[in-house]
Amino acid sequence: MAEIMKAQVFYEAEKMLLEKMPVPRVTETDVLVRVKNVGICGSDISYYYGLSPLGTPTGKGPLVLGHEFTGEIVKVGKVPKQLGLFAQGDRVVVNPVQNCNACYACAAGQTHLCENISVPGVSTNGAFAEYCLSKYTGLFKLPDNVSYAAGAFTEPLACVVYGMKKLDVEPGQFVAIFGPGPMGQMMIQMARSIGAGKIVLIGTRDYRLQIGKKFGADYIFNTSDKQSKYYVKNLKEAISQITSGKLAQRAIVPTSSNEAFQEAIKITGNSSIIVHFGLPNQGDVIRVPALSFHTMDKEIRSSWLAPLSWPTAIRSIAEGLVNVEAMVTHTYPLEEAEKAIINLRNRTDNPMKVQITP
Ligand SMILES: [Zn+2]
Ligand SMILES: [Zn+2]
């Protein structure tokens, strides 16, 4: 096996360099994965542009980014080997939120709030590289009918699964989804598969809204582009009209836009649940009209990461409940990772999901 590998090392805002470095050493509890497909996440864009601190002790680089990935096992540490869990050649997907399985939070099933969490691509070297380490407790075998490209959606889809649990959609309910990015597109399909009634997708770019229509949105509204034929000036009025005045019963907001979240509060009706899903920006404050919110018996919930949601996510891809592969619009080699991030951020060529194949 090779001892040296290529990796994209992030140093500081807008500086990432393709370098040669030693292939990571496998400890007793690790598994080494040869990376096949790795998705670029919104958070990778934030890290690259210096908008969010990394999970390293200093919050800074150097660090290899990339956490949504699949690959083939090339080396198995002593413990997983003894347990017979994994073997060389296994096709796997890595859960990057690697909890310790030993602290109070883990014991309570709050694995995403683990006190000793480590995250490849955020706190330790990740998958914008030829090889990446994973703890043996943090990876799953891919079903035979799930490709490496589709499998790399498991992490974001697991977050969607958790968000949908929080949303608690009942059969036939009217669901509003704010944000037509990959998360929103998966939410449409997941909401549909668990029995939502009408689904409205709200966004600011027509090309993404139109994709949402293909994935099952009944209505698409553009709240920003006045040239758009889907443009609506008053969203509450538009939603009131299509719900006979009842407004939305469920709303989920897979975008960091605080404005979108405020809109979600306005367009939801009696006994509604609103789920905050997109990572807020530092300093954002949610304003809630206390009296009407109270007397309408409404509820706001957060959805953070994806505790105990991975098996459902993998099953949903394997069983075709959510078509993820159709969302890949661009694939770049490892050498062009930086270009891939910049093009995605600038929406060059109307991207949806962008992947890198080291
Ligand atoms: Zn991600
Ligand atoms: Zn823990």
Side-chain angles (χ1 to χ4, degrees):
M1 216 198 82
E3 300 207 329
I4 299 291
M5 67 173 187
K6 284 187 274 182
Q8 287 282 0
V9 185
F10 166 79
Y11 282 91
E12 57 190 67
E14 299 184 55
K15 185 179 169 192
M16 200 160 85
L17 301 174
L18 184 69
E19 292 182 356
K20 291 213 163 106
M21 60 163 66
V23 172
R25 212 174 53 83
V26 179
T27 72
E28 291 194 343
T29 52
D30 288 327
V31 170
L32 184 67
V33 175
R34 170 101 172 82
V35 180
K36 293 287 187 181
N37 285 61
V38 44
I40 299 180
C41 174
S43 64
D44 292 318
I45 296 179
S46 294
Y47 299 138
Y48 176 77
Y49 284 96
L51 303 174
S52 319
L54 295 169
T56 55
T58 57
K60 294 179 178 161
L63 187 81
V64 178
L65 303 178
H67 60 268
E68 300 180 357
F69 67 106
T70 49
E72 184 188 330
I73 291 184
V74 289
K75 214 166 185 183
V76 183
K78 198 173 156 197
V79 176
K81 194 180 272 175
Q82 266 172 4
L83 292 170
L85 286 171
F86 297 103
Q88 216 175 318
D90 282 350
R91 303 166 68 251
V92 291
V93 55
V94 173
N95 178 351
V97 180
Q98 306 207 321
N99 59 300
C100 75
N101 283 321
C103 71
Y104 184 91
C106 281
Q110 299 152 2
T111 52
H112 57 320
L113 303 175
C114 169
E115 292 155 29
N116 310 300
I117 214 155
S118 81
V119 188
V122 179
S123 68
T124 61
N125 278 341
F128 291 166
E130 290 178 288
Y131 297 91
C132 185
L133 277 185
S134 168
K135 283 186 193 177
Y136 80 92
T137 47
L139 69 179
F140 297 80
K141 286 184 198 168
L142 281 177
D144 289 341
N145 69 337
V146 176
S147 68
Y148 285 121
F153 282 85
T154 312
E155 193 269 339
L157 183 61
C159 294
V160 166
V161 166
Y162 188 57
M164 297 311 285
K165 280 183 204 164
K166 289 289 187 92
L167 194 62
D168 199 11
V169 177
E170 292 174 29
Q173 281 187 324
F174 188 100
V175 177
I177 298 170
F178 287 78
M183 291 295 192
Q185 306 294 348
M186 289 188 276
M187 284 173 184
I188 295 168
Q189 301 177 66
M190 194 57 91
R192 180 63 71 221
S193 80
I194 60 178
K198 294 283 187 283
I199 298 172
V200 58
L201 178 66
I202 299 133
T204 59
R205 284 187 177 81
D206 277 359
Y207 85 91
R208 292 191 154 200
L209 290 167
Q210 280 158 347
I211 292 171
K213 194 124 207 201
K214 279 192 205 135
F215 283 129
D218 298 285
Y219 307 98
I220 51 179
F221 291 146
N222 190 323
T223 52
S224 148
D225 178 3
K226 289 188 178 122
Q227 312 305 320
S228 163
K229 65 173 167 173
Y230 311 111
Y231 177 71
V232 291
K233 197 166 173 221
N234 186 329
L235 185 65
K236 184 177 177 181
E237 235 171 67
I239 290 185
S240 178
Q241 238 169 53
I242 54 178
T243 56
S244 317
K246 290 195 176 68
L247 298 174
Q249 291 164 302
R250 295 289 184 266
I252 187 162
V253 186
T255 154
S256 325
S257 159
N258 200 36
E259 218 175 292
F261 196 80
Q262 295 295 154
E263 281 289 295
I265 293 173
K266 282 188 209 148
I267 61 101
T268 36
N270 287 342
S271 297
S272 54
I273 296 174
I274 308 155
V275 172
H276 203 290
F277 185 95
L279 191 64
N281 296 301
Q282 193 106 40
D284 279 354
V285 173
I286 298 166
R287 293 190 173 279
V288 178
L291 181 60
S292 66
F293 206 84
H294 191 88
T295 56
M296 289 169 81
D297 201 12
K298 290 168 67 161
E299 201 177 323
I300 291 176
R301 298 175 178 178
S302 294
S303 179
W304 172 233
L305 299 175
L308 312 181
S309 300
W310 273 64
T312 307
I314 292 173
R315 219 165 47 229
S316 301
I317 296 174
E319 298 298 329
L321 298 184
V322 180
N323 179 351
V324 287
E325 227 162 338
M327 270 187 279
V328 181
T329 51
H330 299 76
T331 303
Y332 293 83
L334 182 62
E335 289 72 17
E336 295 181 32
E338 204 166 11
K339 184 174 150 195
I341 292 173
I342 294 167
N343 284 351
L344 178 55
R345 150 94 167 212
N346 296 335
R347 306 276 193 256
T348 309
D349 240 356
N350 291 349
M352 179 54 77
K353 191 70 180 181
V354 177
Q355 291 189 342
I356 291 168
T357 49

